[in-house]
């Protein structure tokens, strides 16, 4: 399964102050089950936000834990989203990344982005799912169930 990590929660996964939900996401990313999808603007945001992410990403790319999508494809899809005016958030780059990569799990605490990600007109087959710590940083049954799903990464070629 693959997922997208929003820059607004990177501190919960990387660094000394990681939350319990973030630590479990970290463990999932580094297991045989997980793969993080990045690209374009999001990749730049993550690298700027966390030196730990930058270090991890170098090794993760070689081990298949990090999938970097083509920036030009993301930018083209993002432009289409802007022209259509379909995103409520200012994160069309993340919606474009999900559409191109097939990732259907998003770790984010941005409410507007969460609404876009759950919008079936933007993310569908399967619908987007949200991993969030807005209600608390504990690792809940809901978090566990999301990380154990196998259907949240659509094969895109």
């Amino acid at each position: 399964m693959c997922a997208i990590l929003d820059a607004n929660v990177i501190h919960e996964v990387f660094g000394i102050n990681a939350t319990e939900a973030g630590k479990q996401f970290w463990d999932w990313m580094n297991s045989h089950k997980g793969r993080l999808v990045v690209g374009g603007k999001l990749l730049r945001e993550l690298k700027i936000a966390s030196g730990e992410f930058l270090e991890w990403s170098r090794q993760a790319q070689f081990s298949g834990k990090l999938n970097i999508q083509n920036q030009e494809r993301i930018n083209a899809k993002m432009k289409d989203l802007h022209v259509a005016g379909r995103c409520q958030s200012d994160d069309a780059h993340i919606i474009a990344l999900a559409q191109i990569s097939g990732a259907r799990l998003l770790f984010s605490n941005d409410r507007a982005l969460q609404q876009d990600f759950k919008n079936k007109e933007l993310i569908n087959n399967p619908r987007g799912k949200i991993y969030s710590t807005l209600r608390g940083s504990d690792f809940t049954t809901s978090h566990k169930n999301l990380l154990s799903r196998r259907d949240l990464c659509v094969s895109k070629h």
Side-chain angles (χ1 to χ4, degrees):
M1 185 180 64
C2 50
I4 297 170
L5 176 67
D6 191 3
N8 76 355
V9 292
I10 195 163
H11 65 281
E12 296 194 41
V13 179
F14 293 89
I16 59 172
N17 294 322
T19 63
E20 188 56 36
K23 289 175 188 175
Q24 294 297 325
F25 192 85
W26 163 266
D27 289 346
W28 171 84
M29 286 187 332
N30 289 291
S31 74
H32 67 281
K33 300 173 189 172
R35 184 170 38 116
L36 195 63
V37 176
V38 297
K41 181 179 176 183
L42 179 61
L43 180 57
R44 289 189 302 277
E45 289 175 345
L46 295 172
K47 286 180 175 180
I48 290 168
S50 172
E52 290 89 354
F53 171 82
L54 184 58
E55 289 179 32
W56 175 84
S57 69
R58 291 178 182 139
Q59 288 291 60
Q61 188 175 2
F62 291 114
S63 66
K65 298 294 171 197
L66 183 70
N67 183 311
I68 300 176
Q69 296 290 309
N70 180 280
Q71 181 172 340
E72 287 79 26
R73 289 187 65 209
I74 295 169
N75 290 345
K77 183 67 79 171
M78 191 171 69
K79 183 179 177 183
D80 292 344
L81 289 167
H82 282 301
V83 168
R86 299 181 74 190
C87 291
Q88 301 301 309
S89 70
D90 61 356
D91 292 303
H93 61 289
I94 292 177
I95 300 302
L97 176 63
Q99 290 176 344
I100 289 168
S101 70
R104 295 298 186 258
L105 180 63
L106 170 69
F107 186 0
S108 176
N109 286 338
D110 180 328
R111 285 189 169 101
L113 174 57
Q114 290 176 357
Q115 291 304 312
D116 283 345
F117 205 82
K118 292 189 297 186
N119 180 344
K120 72 178 182 175
E121 294 179 13
L122 295 173
I123 307 291
N124 205 9
N125 295 322
R127 299 276 300 273
K129 301 295 181 191
I130 307 298
Y131 188 99
S132 176
T133 55
L134 282 173
R135 294 185 181 171
S137 60
D138 293 336
F139 184 64
T140 66
T141 301
S142 176
H143 291 127
K144 182 179 180 180
N145 290 341
L146 285 171
L147 295 181
S148 66
R149 290 189 62 167
R150 300 266 189 243
D151 64 335
L152 296 178
C153 192
V154 179
S155 178
K156 298 280 183 171
H157 300 288

